[in-house]
């Protein structure tokens, strides 16, 4: 039984957070740009990172810091990705060292993350100078999680934060998280930035297994623009303060924890898709009757990634031909003559294609359905019993506007 | 020695063409919508088609008609793709039968092609009624090729037509073609519609080999929007009237022919990318120093397909970080610390990244360079000696406008 609760990274016991402006973002002094998340005690820690061959400097540093499966804190900035940038790793290490000095832990126990423009030297001096104030701002509150959540935003319009509660081994366990998404979102392993905290007692090996399993069915099932970032990171800290018997193997406790972790990450993933750069619609595409879950996932992902389908949804155009076209180039085999497609939203549901052929349908109703914010594209195949849901967003004038002049 | 000459599908000896309005496009009576290309004599014929699992009805029909490697004519319409449409194959066959009756050949000797909206029944009656007028309009002239070229356009702004002349076995051989592109362009084998005619004497087996070889290095190296269409078709008719000794094997004659075919198809492919839906820029991305041609191609294709890179070019923003990011998720291995990137155009050339790190560069000059219509992104790796060029276009407000409401 998983329940959503208020809060984010401070929802679990023993975590503090803060977010302030130190000057990485030079064009908007009122915008927070550095976040800090600290556990009272050492945590089992795991992270998944982008599969992009071009990996940002913080990721290279984190791979070393996470080698022992332990961490105490996360420092993250927006405004500069520290990717392909001069002195990248040196500066990422300096961020860790500054945080470690304030907290009183080893630099190796700090995870570092960056997001923003690629290729420019990060203003690490501003961060170093700001860390004492950042540390002083630490709080164990929803407001503190909110501040941290804001500090990692770039073109995001909405802060993404959520928390869940479940029972593991008879103890109440909480997991909370903050995330940022918006552009360059087509995760291939980890994703954008997402920081999760939990008080569950769980071994480094099992928290890693839980994270991998979860990311595969949540963040890896969304796409905003097909661009897999150089900085994708999803990191979880588990400090064990819930007092449950430490999870060291798969079993009921692990199952309960993963169920909660998946519920949380799916919610955060959907919010990322919904707040995709310039987006006006959240598109939920479900493929049922697939030959396998992998096949259903590939088809659903192809549909939500199709620029033409995204443009059709922007135009509230029930252009199901583009849906079939995108299914067809997914790389998966299926019988196009046995495809059913339905568009649905709070305004109703309409079947537009059966047996791979167009149906006469009420264009006015279709327009009404597609004018809602949350749109479903439901696809039924006759290949087998597998099902998968992926999330995306439409492509709009604003996406072009935002990305036609992001750097300058 | 390959020379570009005037004309299109009528440039080679023994070919006639026509293009008229019959009523498939109902909203614009002045827009031609059916084209016919006829050879005086039987031709060796070959075609490559989309790899999309969802194949339009004309493609299913053509696969049968081309089984013997022979054809006389091509009938093609715009305004309706005859894909996922009721009575699709039946109606495609009816188009062939109507053309065959007028020409006096077998329906199996006619190739049929369609482009336009997916999922609606094609108005085959209008085509059947129009064929006598279409046949009567046949001419052996540049104007006739021009009419056929216009009749296959959808959202294309510019007609694509080109012709070349070379010498094969001591005889002058000509090859000409018309093509349409614009949206749903991310060819994976054949591409959009492209019809080629030649008077070269060549066997069915060798014309097929030549076409496959050529498509791989021309049309398959462009992308407009990442969407591989259900109707992609590239078809060539070779009627042998040039009088050269029939090419039946690889050798100097085959080499001369393929060189000319590649020059022609590369030119048509570039024109398609340049006239991508809503595009303001042709982007030419060349990767040198690649581990293999395949690897260089995958990297270049990833760059020209990146929505974020396309948006940056639209904004004349020298955002090379997005170029590196797109290279990184291409699926190819390379050392990111040994990458050099340069932007160039008629306005100059500027290096923006060396050893995978950003360089200080003149932003004003960069802006000037990126304001030109034809933009080059030149990438040097240090993996090997292979090189590949791919072509794409920027993504603009107009792309969203065109595709937000194409169907209605």
């Amino acid at each position: 039984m998983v329940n959503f609760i208020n809060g984010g990274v401070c929802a679990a016991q023993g975590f503090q957070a803060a977010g302030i402006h130190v000057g990485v973002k030079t064009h908007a002094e009122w915008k927070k740009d550095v976040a800090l998340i600290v556990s009272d005690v050492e945590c089992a820690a795991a992270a998944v990172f982008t599969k992009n061959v071009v990996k940002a400097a913080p990721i290279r540093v984190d791979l070393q810091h996470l080698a022992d499966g332990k961490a105490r804190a996360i420092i993250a900035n927006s405004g500069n990705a520290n990717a392909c940038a001069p002195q990248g790793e040196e500066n990422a290490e300096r961020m860790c060292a500054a945080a470690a000095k304030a907290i009183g832990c080893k630099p190796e126990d700090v995870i570092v993350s960056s997001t923003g423009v690629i290729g420019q030297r990060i203003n690490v001096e501003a961060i170093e100078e700001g860390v004492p104030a950042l540390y002083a701002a630490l709080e164990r509150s929803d407001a503190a999680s909110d501040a941290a959540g804001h500090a990692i935003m770039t073109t995001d319009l909405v802060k993404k934060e959520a928390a869940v509660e479940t029972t593991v081994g008879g103890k109440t366990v909480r997991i909370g998280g903050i995330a940022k998404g918006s552009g360059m979102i087509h995760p291939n392993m980890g994703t954008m930035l997402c920081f999760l905290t939990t008080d569950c007692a769980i071994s480094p090996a099992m928290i890693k297994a839980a994270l991998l399993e979860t990311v595969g069915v949540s963040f890896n099932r969304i796409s905003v623009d097909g661009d897999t970032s150089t900085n994708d990171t999803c990191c979880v800290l588990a400090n064990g303060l819930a007092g449950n018997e430490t999870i060291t193997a798969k079993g009921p406790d692990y199952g309960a924890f993963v169920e909660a972790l998946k519920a949380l990450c799916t919610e955060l993933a959907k919010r990322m898709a919904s707040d995709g750069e310039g987006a006006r619609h959240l598109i939920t595409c479900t493929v049922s009757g697939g030959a396998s879950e992998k096949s259903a996932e590939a088809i659903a992902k192809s549909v939500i990634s199709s620029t033409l389908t995204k443009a059709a949804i922007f135009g509230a155009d029930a252009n199901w031909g583009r849906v079939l076209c995108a299914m067809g180039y997914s790389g998966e085999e299926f019988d196009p003559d046995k495809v059913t497609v339905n568009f649905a939203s709070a305004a109703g549901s309409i079947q537009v294609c059966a047996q791979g052929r167009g149906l006469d349908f009420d264009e006015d109703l279709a327009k009404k359905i597609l004018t809602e914010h949350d749109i479903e594209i439901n696809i039924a195949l006759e290949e087998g019993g597998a099902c998968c849901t992926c999330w995306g967003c439409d492509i709009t004038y604003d996406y072009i506007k935002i990305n036609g002049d992001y750097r300058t």
Side-chain angles (χ1 to χ4, degrees), chain A:
Chain A
M1 181 66 181
V2 180
N3 288 315
F4 278 84
I5 57 174
N6 284 335
V9 286
C10 295
Q13 292 180 61
F15 286 99
Q16 298 186 79
I20 65 169
H21 174 86
V22 303
V24 184
K25 285 178 178 165
T26 49
H27 57 291
E29 294 198 6
W30 46 276
K31 280 194 177 167
K32 296 182 170 67
D33 52 15
V34 180
L36 185 64
I37 303 166
V38 183
S39 167
D40 296 349
V41 298
E42 192 175 65
C43 300
V48 284
F49 300 106
T50 184
K51 279 186 178 153
N52 197 311
V53 171
V54 180
K55 289 185 192 349
I59 291 180
R60 304 188 197 190
V61 168
D62 290 342
L63 285 167
Q64 295 167 24
H65 288 197
L66 281 167
D68 63 353
K70 307 267 179 170
R72 266 291 295 282
I74 299 168
I75 185 166
N77 74 277
S78 55
N80 188 310
N82 194 12
C84 312
Q87 293 97 48
E89 293 186 39
E90 182 189 325
N91 290 339
E93 289 283 13
R94 280 173 69 174
M95 286 174 66
C96 292
K101 192 177 163 201
I103 297 163
C105 68
K106 289 182 294 181
E108 294 74 31
D109 283 338
V110 179
I111 307 304
V112 57
S113 233
S114 298
T115 178
V117 68
I118 296 176
Q120 294 175 6
R121 183 179 181 279
I122 193 168
N123 185 352
V124 69
E125 292 77 12
I127 297 174
E128 287 175 332
E129 283 165 29
V131 160
L134 182 65
Y135 183 76
L138 280 176
E139 268 183 34
R140 211 176 293 278
S141 68
D142 288 355
S145 175
D146 180 273
H150 275 98
I152 60 172
M153 286 165 64
T154 53
T155 54
D156 306 63
L157 298 178
V158 180
K159 178 203 63 174
K160 289 99 187 163
E161 179 185 62
V164 293
E165 190 174 83
T166 189
T167 307
V168 176
K171 303 284 181 183
T172 297
V173 161
R174 288 174 166 189
I175 321 175
I178 56 173
K180 66 85 52 182
S182 222
M184 219 179 249
I185 302 293
H186 186 80
N188 189 4
M189 136 119 291
T191 174
M192 38 279 119
L193 303 188
C194 178
F195 307 123
L196 305 163
T197 56
T198 179
D199 44 23
C200 186
I202 183 167
S203 69
M206 294 318 291
I207 189 77
K208 186 158 193 181
L211 186 64
L212 280 174
E213 193 176 325
T214 298
V215 165
V217 299
S218 54
F219 299 115
N220 283 358
R221 288 188 176 164
I222 65 169
S223 179
V224 167
D225 52 14
D227 281 277
T228 303
S229 157
T230 51
N231 289 56
D232 288 349
T233 297
C234 181
C235 181
V236 58
L237 300 183
N239 66 11
L241 294 181
N244 60 301
E245 196 183 328
T246 302
I247 299 169
T248 57
K250 294 204 175 179
D253 289 0
Y254 176 81
F257 178 74
V258 167
E259 187 194 358
L261 192 63
K262 284 183 181 172
L264 175 65
C265 289
T266 301
E267 180 61 26
L268 287 169
K270 282 169 68 174
R271 292 192 197 175
M272 273 184 207
S274 182
D275 188 33
E277 276 178 342
R280 292 198 196 168
H281 295 280
L282 168 66
I283 305 173
T284 301
C285 179
T286 300
V287 173
S288 60
S292 67
E293 189 179 352
K294 197 169 151 285
S295 167
E297 179 178 356
I299 292 168
K301 221 166 174 175
S302 189
V303 170
I304 56 143
S305 302
S306 153
T307 312
L308 282 171
T309 300
K310 291 153 67 82
I313 297 296
F314 168 64
D317 178 9
N319 197 325
W320 59 268
R322 293 182 183 166
V323 172
L324 256 79
C325 176
M327 294 170 64
Y329 62 70
S330 64
E332 297 298 319
E333 289 295 325
F334 63 90
D335 185 345
D337 293 335
K338 290 184 178 164
V339 174
T340 302
V341 179
N342 150 302
F343 288 107
S345 75
S349 170
I350 198 162
Q351 194 169 335
V352 290
C353 165
Q355 263 82 48
R357 297 288 176 272
L359 301 172
D360 283 327
F361 60 87
D362 180 345
E363 292 277 358
D364 291 337
L365 175 59
K367 207 97 190 164
K368 214 173 140 200
I369 288 169
L370 296 179
T371 306
E372 293 287 318
H373 183 274
D374 292 0
I375 307 291
E376 287 174 24
I377 304 176
N378 298 304
I379 298 164
L381 308 176
E382 296 184 21
E383 305 298 321
C387 181
C388 184
T389 299
C390 290
W391 298 272
C393 59
D394 57 334
I395 186 163
T396 68
Y397 297 123
D398 285 343
Y399 179 90
I400 307 295
K401 189 174 180 182
I402 292 165
N403 288 300
D405 202 8
Y406 171 74
R407 201 178 50 97
T408 49

